[in-house]
């Protein structure tokens, strides 16, 4: 399913990607050598971003999306509407599976993701998602 045109209208994906690229330059990725930056629009017009932060204890490294959702909460919450992710070359990157789940919590199935295959709703990138609604059934 392609997203409704109006949901994407007027969104400056280039500008959002520029924020993600700037965030990527702050990544702490000495172990993988793979910096990542992310940025998203919030439903009240804010922009939030994040970079990956690794650790000598490899398994506890934080994906860039962790920083993004932390900034979302810290700056007032709200819902994510548009999201992009870039690698160390500034190229569009798909978020990892765990991070799709992180994004689902705060954007739901309609969150629009910029992917190498175009703008796609999270419902296509994380089909049949488990989410907060399941806990209330
Ligand atoms: N990484 C992210 O920050 N987000 C993703 O969605 C994909 C992977 C990071 C984790 C690790 O620091 C590095 O990329 C290599 O896997």
């Amino acid at each position: 399913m392609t997203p409704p045109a109006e949901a994407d209208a007027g969104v400056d994906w280039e500008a959002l990607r520029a924020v993600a690229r700037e965030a990527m330059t702050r990544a702490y990725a000495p172990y993988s050598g793979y910096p990542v930056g992310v940025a998203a629009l919030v439903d009240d017009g804010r922009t939030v971003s994040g970079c990956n932060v690794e650790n000598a204890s490899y398994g506890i490294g934080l994906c860039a999306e962790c920083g993004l959702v932390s900034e979302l909460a810290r700056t007032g919450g709200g819902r994510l509407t548009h999201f992009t992710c870039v690698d160390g070359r500034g190229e569009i990157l798909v978020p990892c599976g765990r991070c799709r789940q992180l994004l689902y919590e705060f954007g739901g199935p309609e969150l629009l993701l910029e992917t190498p295959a175009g703008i796609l709703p999270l419902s296509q990138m994380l089909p049949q998602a488990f989410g907060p609604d399941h806990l209330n059934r």
Side-chain angles (χ1 to χ4, degrees):
M1 192 183 92
T2 45
E6 64 272 18
D8 192 27
V11 167
D12 189 344
W13 287 100
E14 289 271 343
L16 193 60
R17 214 179 311 129
V19 175
R21 286 184 180 134
E22 168 61 24
M24 178 272 291
T25 68
R26 311 296 174 123
Y28 176 73
Y31 305 109
S32 70
Y34 195 86
V36 175
V38 293
L41 299 179
V42 185
D43 60 356
D44 65 0
R46 269 150 57 226
T47 300
V48 289
S49 61
C51 62
N52 54 336
V53 178
E54 297 182 349
N55 194 281
S57 178
Y58 294 173
I60 67 168
L62 302 175
C63 278
E65 290 84 345
C66 297
L68 182 144
V69 297
S70 180
E71 183 180 327
L72 176 71
R74 180 182 61 78
T75 59
R79 300 292 292 171
L80 301 175
T81 60
H82 301 77
F83 170 88
T84 192
C85 178
V86 299
D87 65 17
R89 296 169 304 169
E91 311 261 316
I92 299 165
L93 180 68
V94 285
C96 77
R98 179 179 181 275
C99 289
R100 295 178 200 191
Q101 184 73 36
L102 277 186
L103 295 170
Y104 188 80
E105 185 79 13
F106 301 105
E110 277 104 48
L111 172 62
L112 293 178
L113 272 60
E114 185 177 49
T115 83
I119 309 298
L120 296 174
L122 185 52
S123 58
Q124 274 190 39
M125 301 296 285
L126 189 67
Q128 291 198 53
F130 174 82
D133 289 348
H134 287 92
L135 301 178
N136 299 322
R137 283 180 197 164

